[in-house]
């Protein structure tokens, strides 16, 4: 680590009241050493990472870190605070603060060294030495390893020893006296710090508990897969991760605890106890596919409301591509062949290569088939988000039944949640070892599909279908001021978190209305209002950086150029870099402009059959000229508000050159953003 930290990157008397100020103070040292090229851009990346998950750890440690294009070489800055800085750790403020900066394309060797530091932070002697060191040069030497703390063991030794013990004792698996064996996987979004700290924490807890525990760290420096023999001999599995576990199917059929990576750092002993308890009860969890929130209920601060949102968003995220493809094809079919194209005969029986109507009918019929998957996909992947791959079969079955009985999207939501719940309940039943191998493939799909099918056909399907019809009738009856108010509300939701959960709720509400071959006029007006409002934030940020560029950093001005295209394409996420850097000014301004646009679109009576496309589907919009006026008005309102609010700030964020000191009280690096990570 000799090239990553020097005495110039150490501040033993760090004076900062907030985590933003602490990160700025340490980042300024990196700028002074030429390791960071754009202070504001780098801090925005740090803030975006911090927004995903607080980086405070038990024991008075804060590790703000990120990958950034503004970092020239892997770097580490260290600060020691007498008063402590709140980084969101459960046990209070951090007095040891490490700012880790990795280039966007950092090589594996450098990342491996950074991961070694992360493991060292779990060593009490190492952190104690840092608290008592008297000068910056000695602190840098200690962190580099030039002056190792007493009895600081190699990070790789415990894992290697455990792996060897586990592999070497495979042949004695039947020995009743052998210790309990656990395999674990740790990973985090950046793959630099939390991944390796969780591994070290679990290994230490495993030694104290007298179990053989081997960890596979799936970090940015790559990972080495555990020996299949080690996995086969394991009695339980711990997943401590915030990104999907790669090759998760390797761990299928084992008692499994699935939590966030910080749980692996903060409460490893509890996780070991929990997985041992599951093994004693015979509880097994299928372990294939992407990360799911199945066992996340134990993660501090994550309640049922949060888990429900994740499950629903899982279904929506998989459904949206079907909506976009099917909706655009149907809309193009109507645009080319007229609305009567829905009555055209099947292209299987009649297709003329030289007739434009045949091509229009082909587009319409392909789009209609794609739309037919919406409710099953929604239900299937809600169940998948809850219970992993075993939830897919009952979820899809329940979703298809919802479509068959005209229960629509409400039926799909109910079917997905029921399917996931049924699978989770089945997985908690104690199963003999001889049957465990066929549980995910035969038993769970059979029983869960039968239960979900019975409930959807016989018990709840008809009431949900009635509720769906009632909602559709209500939408069809909207007019006048009610329609305008709905447009304003949807506009506010579209601009609240720029592609996040609230945005997706509004978008799903709109697409649900047009996800039929013959949507109502009201449903098409709602779709038009939602798309118009979603285009406003990125277009407004692009305009603001054009007319008052001095209020923005060089990075933001570059982002503004891309925002023109993103906004015109109905990609609200184009405004996220601006919201991340300055949420208190950008988000409220965007919401005002979006609400005005949504209301105007509804008042103008603009309609839209396509669920996506931005200005590229203007020919498919009813009252296109008034529709564009609504977007322009909202864009101008948001631009004006942003410019006025930023102009009131002294000094303005963009008035300083990159790397120059500026008012740290300005929220340019505020990590408390509502946008989706």
């Amino acid at each position: 680590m000799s090239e990553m930290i020097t005495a110039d990157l150490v501040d033993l008397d760090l004076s900062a009241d907030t985590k933003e100020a602490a990160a700025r103070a340490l980042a300024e040292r990196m700028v002074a050493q030429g390791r960071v090229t754009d202070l504001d851009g780098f801090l925005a990346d740090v803030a975006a990472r911090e927004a995903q998950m607080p980086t405070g750890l038990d024991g008075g440690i804060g590790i703000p870190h990120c990958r950034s294009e503004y970092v020239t070489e892997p770097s580490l800055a260290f600060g020691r605070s007498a008063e402590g800085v709140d980084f969101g750790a459960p046990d209070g403020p951090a007095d040891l603060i490490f700012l880790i900066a990795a280039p966007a394309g950092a090589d594996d060797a450098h990342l491996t060294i950074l991961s070694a530091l992360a493991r060292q932070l779990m060593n009490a002697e190492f952190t104690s030495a840092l608290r008592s060191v008297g000068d910056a040069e000695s602190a840098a030497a200690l962190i580099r390893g030039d002056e190792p703390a007493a009895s600081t063991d190699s990070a790789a030794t415990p894992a290697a020893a455990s792996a060897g013990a586990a592999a070497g004792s495979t042949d004695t698996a039947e020995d009743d006296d052998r210790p309990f064996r656990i395999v674990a996987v740790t990973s985090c979004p950046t793959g630099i710090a939390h991944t390796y700290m969780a591994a070290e924490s679990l290994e230490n807890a495993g030694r104290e508990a007298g179990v053989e525990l081997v960890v596979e760290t799936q970090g940015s420096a790559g990972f080495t897969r555990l020996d299949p023999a080690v996995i086969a001999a394991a009695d339980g599995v711990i997943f401590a991760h915030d990104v999907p576990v790669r090759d998760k199917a390797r761990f299928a059929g084992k008692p499994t605890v699935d939590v966030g990576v910080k749980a692996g750092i903060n409460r490893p002993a509890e996780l070991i106890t929990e997985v041992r308890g599951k093994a004693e009860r015979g509880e097994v969890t299928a372990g294939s596919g992407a990360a799911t929130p199945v066992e996340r209920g134990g993660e501090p601060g994550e309640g049922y409301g949060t888990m429900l949102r994740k499950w629903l968003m899982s279904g929506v995220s998989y459904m949206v591509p079907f909506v976009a493809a099917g909706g655009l094809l149907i809309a193009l079919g109507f645009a080319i062949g007229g609305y009567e194209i829905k009555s055209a005969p099947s292209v299987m029986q009649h297709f003329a290569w030289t007739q434009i109507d045949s091509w229009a009918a082909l587009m319409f019929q392909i789009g209609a088939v794609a739309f037919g998957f919406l409710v099953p996909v929604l239900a299937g992947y809600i169940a998948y988000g809850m219970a992993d791959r075993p939830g897919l079969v009952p979820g899809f079955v329940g979703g298809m039944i919802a479509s068959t009985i005209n229960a629509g999207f409400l039926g799909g939501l109910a079917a997905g949640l029921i399917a996931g719940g049924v699978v989770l309940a089945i997985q908690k039943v104690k199963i003999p070892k001889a049957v465990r191998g066929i549980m995910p493939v035969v038993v769970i799909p059979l029983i869960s599909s039968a239960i979900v099918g019975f409930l959807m056909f016989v018990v709840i399907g008809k009431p949900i279908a009635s509720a769906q019809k009632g909602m559709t009738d209500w939408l069809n009856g909207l007019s006048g001021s009610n329609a305008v108010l709905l447009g304003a509300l949807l506009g506010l939701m579209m601009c609240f978190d720029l592609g996040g959960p609230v945005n997706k709720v509004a978008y799903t509400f709109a697409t649900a209305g047009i996800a039929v071959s013959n949507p109502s006029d009201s449903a098409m007006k709602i779709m038009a209002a939602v798309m118009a409002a979603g285009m406003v934030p990125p277009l407004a940020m692009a305009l603001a950086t054009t007319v008052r560029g001095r209020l923005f950093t060089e990075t933001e001005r570059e982002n503004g150029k891309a925002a023109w295209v993103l906004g015109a394409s109905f990609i609200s996420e184009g405004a996220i870099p601006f919201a991340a850097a300055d949420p208190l000014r950008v988000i409220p301004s965007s919401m005002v402009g979006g609400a005005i646009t949504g209301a105007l679109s509804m008042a103008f009576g603009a309609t839209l059959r396509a669920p996506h496309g931005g200005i590229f589907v203007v020919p498919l919009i009813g009252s296109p000229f008034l529709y564009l006026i609504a977007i322009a008005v909202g864009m101008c309102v948001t631009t004006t508000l942003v410019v006025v609010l930023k102009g009131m700030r002294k000094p303005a964020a963009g008035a300083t050159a990159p790397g120059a000191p500026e008012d740290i009280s300005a929220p340019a690096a505020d990590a408390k953003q509502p946008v989706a990570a």
Side-chain angles (χ1 to χ4, degrees):
M1 201 175 298
S2 58
E3 297 179 355
M4 292 192 186
I5 184 168
T6 63
D8 294 323
L9 297 177
V10 174
D11 186 351
L12 296 181
D13 298 301
L14 180 64
S15 176
D17 298 327
T18 65
K19 60 184 178 182
E20 294 81 15
R24 180 175 290 275
L26 295 176
E28 286 174 348
R29 290 177 174 265
M30 293 183 177
V31 171
Q33 297 299 310
R35 296 169 179 261
V36 170
T37 59
D38 186 329
L39 178 63
D40 292 326
F42 172 66
L43 289 175
D45 291 336
V46 173
R49 170 62 187 87
E50 192 76 21
Q52 295 179 30
M53 181 178 65
T55 54
L57 302 172
D58 287 343
I61 297 172
I63 50 167
H65 60 279
C66 72
R67 285 175 173 270
S68 176
E69 62 180 311
Y70 307 111
V71 177
T72 59
E73 58 182 306
S75 301
L76 172 67
F78 169 65
R80 191 172 66 190
S81 170
E83 301 297 327
V85 180
D86 184 8
F87 274 86
D91 66 342
D95 61 328
L96 302 180
I97 301 163
F98 300 83
L99 178 61
I100 302 175
D107 59 77
D108 290 351
H110 285 122
L111 291 174
T112 300
I113 296 173
L114 288 174
S115 70
L117 167 69
R119 284 178 174 269
Q120 284 279 66
L121 293 177
M122 306 311 297
N123 185 314
E125 294 173 346
F126 177 72
T127 54
S128 177
L130 284 176
R131 288 187 171 95
S132 61
V133 69
D135 61 272
E137 187 61 55
S138 297
L142 181 62
I143 295 171
R144 289 194 301 264
D146 299 345
E147 298 177 9
S151 67
T152 300
D153 297 329
S154 171
T157 302
S162 298
S169 57
T170 301
D171 295 334
T172 62
E174 301 300 323
D175 184 358
D176 293 335
D177 295 331
R178 70 171 176 80
F180 191 83
R181 294 171 180 166
I182 299 175
V183 290
V185 176
T186 61
S187 65
C188 66
T190 307
I192 297 175
H194 290 84
T195 298
Y196 302 96
M197 298 176 77
E200 184 74 8
S201 183
L202 286 168
E203 289 167 356
N204 292 339
R207 285 193 295 273
E208 293 175 2
V211 304
E212 292 181 2
L213 194 150
V214 193
V215 183
E216 176 178 290
T217 52
Q218 297 185 355
S220 291
F223 72 101
T224 302
R225 288 172 174 79
L226 290 172
D227 189 324
V230 174
I231 298 175
D235 301 300
V237 180
I238 296 175
F239 294 136
H241 64 115
D242 286 326
V243 295
V245 173
R246 286 169 274 189
D247 297 334
K248 196 174 182 181
R250 295 172 292 159
F251 306 93
K254 301 276 186 184
T256 303
V257 171
D258 192 332
V259 296
V261 68
K262 291 193 77 172
I265 298 173
N266 296 331
R267 49 189 187 92
E270 294 179 28
L271 303 184
I272 292 173
T273 301
E274 185 177 350
V275 77
R276 297 188 75 163
K278 286 193 172 189
E280 292 171 0
R281 296 189 298 271
E283 296 180 17
V284 297
T285 302
S288 60
T292 66
V294 176
E295 298 288 347
R296 301 271 178 115
E299 182 71 353
E302 184 164 278
Y304 285 105
T306 302
M307 290 191 293
L308 177 62
R309 176 181 64 80
K310 288 183 177 181
W311 298 335
L312 297 180
M313 289 302 297
S314 174
V316 170
S317 65
Y318 282 100
M319 181 197 73
V320 166
F322 288 87
V323 173
L328 287 171
L329 283 169
I330 289 176
L332 288 172
F334 279 127
I336 296 173
Y339 286 103
E340 64 276 6
I341 203 67
K342 64 182 180 181
S343 302
S346 170
V347 292
M348 287 285 292
Q349 282 77 43
H350 178 76
F351 182 80
W353 290 84
T354 58
Q355 292 182 6
I356 191 67
D357 285 349
S358 290
W359 289 99
L362 178 63
M363 292 181 185
F364 174 84
Q365 290 170 25
I366 294 174
V369 170
F371 259 16
F373 284 98
L374 299 190
V375 175
V377 167
L378 175 69
Y381 281 98
I382 287 174
Y384 173 76
M386 295 177 67
D388 217 323
R389 195 163 65 180
L392 283 175
V393 173
F396 272 95
V397 169
M400 199 65 211
I401 294 173
S403 294
T404 303
I405 64 177
N406 296 319
F409 278 74
L410 292 179
L413 293 173
L417 293 172
I418 292 171
V422 168
V423 172
L424 289 178
I426 294 173
Q427 289 176 335
K428 291 184 180 296
V429 177
K430 186 173 182 179
I431 303 296
K433 288 186 177 181
V435 186
R436 291 177 187 174
I438 64 171
M439 285 293 291
V441 180
V442 178
V443 179
I444 293 178
L446 173 64
I447 297 176
S448 60
S449 295
I451 294 174
V452 172
F454 169 77
L455 292 174
M456 291 300 295
F457 269 127
V458 180
V459 181
I460 65 172
K462 189 173 181 179
I464 292 177
S466 299
Q468 177 76 18
K469 184 177 184 299
M471 187 179 73
T472 302
D473 293 341
W474 172 71
L475 288 176
N476 291 337
L478 283 177
S479 62
S481 60
N482 289 334
V484 172
L485 288 174
L486 178 61
L489 175 61
L490 292 172
L492 287 171
M493 295 174 68
M494 287 298 294
C495 300
F496 174 73
D497 54 1
L498 306 173
V502 177
N503 172 287
K504 286 296 187 290
V505 168
Y507 181 69
T508 304
F509 175 72
T511 56
I514 66 166
V516 293
S517 59
N518 189 27
S520 66
D521 186 66
S522 296
M524 291 190 288
K525 289 179 180 178
I526 290 172
M527 187 69 249
V530 163
M531 189 170 81
M535 295 168 64
V536 165
L539 289 175
M541 295 303 103
L543 180 61
T545 57
T546 301
V547 298
R548 293 296 297 275
R550 68 179 183 82
L551 296 175
F552 298 88
T553 66
E554 181 180 352
T555 301
E556 289 174 326
R557 289 193 291 271
E558 288 299 316
N559 289 334
K561 297 175 183 178
W564 284 113
V565 178
L566 296 174
S569 304
F570 180 39
I571 300 176
S572 303
E573 289 85 346
I576 285 181
F578 302 92
D582 197 355
L584 297 181
R585 294 172 177 82
V586 173
I587 294 294
S589 301
S590 297
M591 291 174 66
V592 172
I596 291 173
T597 294
L600 287 176
S601 176
M602 293 290 279
F604 293 155
T607 59
L608 175 62
R609 180 178 292 273
H612 216 288
I615 64 170
F616 302 103
V617 294
V618 166
L620 308 177
I621 295 172
S623 303
F625 180 70
L626 293 176
Y627 185 77
L628 294 176
I629 288 179
I631 295 173
V633 170
M635 180 175 66
C636 291
V637 169
T638 297
T639 300
T640 301
L641 289 174
V642 168
V643 167
V644 170
L645 291 174
K646 282 184 173 288
M648 295 170 59
R649 183 175 59 184
K650 296 181 181 180
T656 57
E662 62 176 81
D663 181 10
I664 62 173
S665 65
D670 193 346
K672 296 179 180 178
Q673 51 168 332
V675 299

